Amino acid sequence: MSEFKPLVFSGVQPTGNLHLGNYLGAIRKFVALQDNNDCMYCVVDLHALTAQLVHDDMPGQIRSITAAFLAAGIDPQKHIVFNQSQVPQHAELAWIFNCVARMGWMSRMTQFKDKAGKDREQASLGLFAYPSLMAADILVYRATHVPVGDDQKQHLELTRDIAMKFNLDFGDKIRPTGLGVDITVGNEPVHAYFPMVEPLIDGPAPRVMSLKDGSKKMSKSDPSDLSRVNLMDDSDTISKKIRKAKTDPDALPSEVAGLSGRPEADNLVGIYAALADKTKADVLAEFGGQQFSVFKPALVDLAVDVLAPITDEMRRLMADPGHIDAVLRDGGERARARAEKTMMEVRDIIGFVR
Ligand code: AQP
């Protein structure tokens, strides 16, 4: 093989209502990428156990994320849509990566620190090892590109570190198999089995912030429902949340530089730009000098225009769980075949007898 075959992979946890941050940071990009790429989109249900072990309605949560993928426009026939627990090879590779990753690397993960809170002794081992499973999710398909929100950037850097250490540690074993690819990392030539993944984080809203506090990420686990627009919110609720969103008293600036030091204004302009497929500069060219009393209703109209068809389609799909399960079963079967191919090679590289 002379180079890695391009492949897009990403996942979303079934841990609650999807919100505008998940949509703009991840799902909208998934849809855009499917025109020119081979894509795999995964409901990462094993990861959901790190947030909370027992879920009231795990099947419903998995189906609702799948419905969001389909309602947003992902084609499960051309691409692969599946849930992680149907492909046990993710967990197998994660164990190997647990042995590759170093405690020091994992201890630096800010998401673990945020989610574990003050009482780290009580955090689960799974929460600590989460990024190692995420690396396995991606690399079990030797995926090359990963669309995610900005909050996942550090985990993707760790994925590269894990891939690099595996490639270097097993370099002498990879070469005779003929399975590796000659790549250059920095100035160093490496014979790599696993690719160095490229994060796809760009766009005007890589980190959508809370509607109540421009310094906090919009998040499923925020106790205030007013902090986020959920994909299942109806038009009145979207309108109420955006009208109540925190802002400052000044008019919008005409230049992007004028947004600095104004996190709430910056966030709303970023959301508008992402929903309209424009840049922040375009949005400010239209609304610069206007008060939020003018901008917010325009943002409400745009958000409702974009989200309402997705919400309606999600509701329609959720009414037919049998169809969603069939999509996941079909995707799971195709994903397992790809993952098993990688794992046969990895087992040979390591030297497990089979
Ligand atoms: N606020 C955000 N802005 C942009 N992208 C975001 N993502 C999440 N929040 C934002 C992206 O959505 C994808 C799926 O995320 P996830 O559900 O797997 O996990 P998460 O990042 O932990 O999401 P939440 O909503 O913030 O959940 P909690 O509250 O449980 O932590 C990822 O690509 C993520 O970057």
Side-chain angles (χ1 to χ4, degrees):
M1 201 165 34
S2 61
E3 57 184 34
F4 290 103
K5 205 166 147 245
L7 173 67
V8 172
F9 177 94
S10 197
V12 176
Q13 294 189 75
T15 46
N17 286 327
L18 284 177
H19 53 70
L20 195 56
N22 300 129
Y23 177 65
L24 295 177
I27 296 175
R28 194 173 168 96
K29 291 186 208 156
F30 299 176
V31 177
L33 284 162
Q34 63 177 352
D35 288 344
N36 298 315
N37 298 281
D38 179 14
C39 302
M40 300 185 71
Y41 296 127
C42 184
V43 182
V44 287
D45 45 14
L46 296 178
H47 284 283
L49 303 186
T50 67
Q52 169 188 337
L53 187 56
V54 182
H55 292 252
D56 286 344
D57 182 16
M58 181 67 105
Q61 288 173 209
I62 294 169
R63 290 181 189 125
S64 111
I65 306 291
T66 314
F69 286 175
L70 305 183
I74 292 166
D75 181 339
Q77 264 147 18
K78 288 206 189 115
H79 303 280
I80 297 183
V81 172
F82 69 109
N83 57 316
Q84 188 187 21
S85 59
Q86 294 211 44
V87 187
Q89 289 82 355
H90 288 230
E92 182 184 358
L93 187 58
W95 175 256
I96 293 165
F97 286 170
N98 284 345
C99 300
V100 174
R102 306 289 93 182
M103 288 292 286
W105 303 356
M106 305 294 282
S107 306
R108 283 192 282 279
M109 294 296 112
T110 53
Q111 184 171 294
F112 172 73
K113 292 182 198 165
D114 292 345
K115 293 199 169 176
K118 289 204 176 70
D119 196 1
R120 286 201 201 150
E121 293 287 309
Q122 283 306 313
S124 72
L125 184 54
L127 184 66
F128 187 72
Y130 179 115
S132 169
L133 177 58
M134 178 167 160
D137 298 335
I138 298 163
L139 294 176
V140 81
Y141 304 106
R142 301 168 90 192
T144 53
H145 294 83
V146 185
V148 279
D150 176 71
D151 59 316
Q152 293 299 326
K153 195 171 173 189
Q154 194 186 30
H155 288 165
L156 289 180
E157 279 158 15
L158 183 92
T159 300
R160 291 168 66 99
D161 289 343
I162 289 175
M164 183 67 162
K165 182 160 163 55
F166 183 97
N167 291 334
L168 293 176
D169 287 355
F170 287 99
D172 291 346
K173 312 231 182 238
I174 296 167
R175 200 168 290 279
T177 64
L179 297 168
V181 173
D182 287 317
I183 58 170
T184 309
V185 181
N187 287 329
E188 207 182 337
V190 179
H191 194 64
Y193 179 74
F194 288 119
M196 297 289 113
V197 291
E198 295 284 341
L200 303 174
I201 301 182
D202 49 344
R207 182 181 286 249
V208 177
M209 307 309 274
S210 158
L211 298 179
K212 293 272 115 200
D213 177 351
S215 68
K216 272 170 56 183
K217 181 180 96 116
M218 185 178 284
S219 160
K220 298 184 200 112
S221 55
D222 192 314
S224 167
D225 195 52
L226 287 176
S227 69
R228 60 184 164 260
V229 170
N230 300 309
L231 285 196
M232 292 303 275
D233 284 343
D234 60 26
S235 310
D236 288 348
T237 311
I238 294 177
S239 171
K240 184 178 91 184
K241 287 178 174 176
I242 292 179
R243 282 166 198 273
K244 284 186 172 228
K246 184 176 170 197
T247 46
D248 56 45
D250 297 336
L252 283 171
S254 301
E255 309 280 331
V256 176
L259 291 171
S260 92
R262 299 180 63 187
E264 284 83 16
D266 189 22
N267 189 36
L268 294 184
V269 170
I271 291 173
Y272 191 106
L275 285 169
D277 267 333
K278 291 182 172 171
T279 62
K280 288 185 190 175
D282 295 334
V283 178
L284 294 178
E286 194 179 338
F287 290 99
Q290 303 273 16
Q291 296 295 331
F292 284 101
S293 54
V294 173
F295 181 65
K296 280 182 170 180
L299 180 55
V300 169
D301 288 346
L302 177 62
V304 169
D305 273 359
V306 173
L307 298 181
I310 299 174
T311 312
D312 291 347
E313 181 62 3
M314 272 180 80
R315 284 189 212 287
R316 195 188 67 76
L317 289 162
M318 293 288 284
D320 185 1
H323 170 67
I324 296 182
D325 295 0
V327 166
L328 291 174
R329 254 195 317 277
D330 171 63
E333 204 171 305
R334 289 188 284 143
R336 258 192 321 275
R338 290 186 182 194
E340 180 55 14
K341 179 173 181 298
T342 302
M343 287 315 300
M344 298 263 277
E345 294 171 358
V346 168
R347 291 178 206 122
D348 283 348
I349 288 168
I350 293 176
F352 292 144
V353 174
R354 61 181 167 100

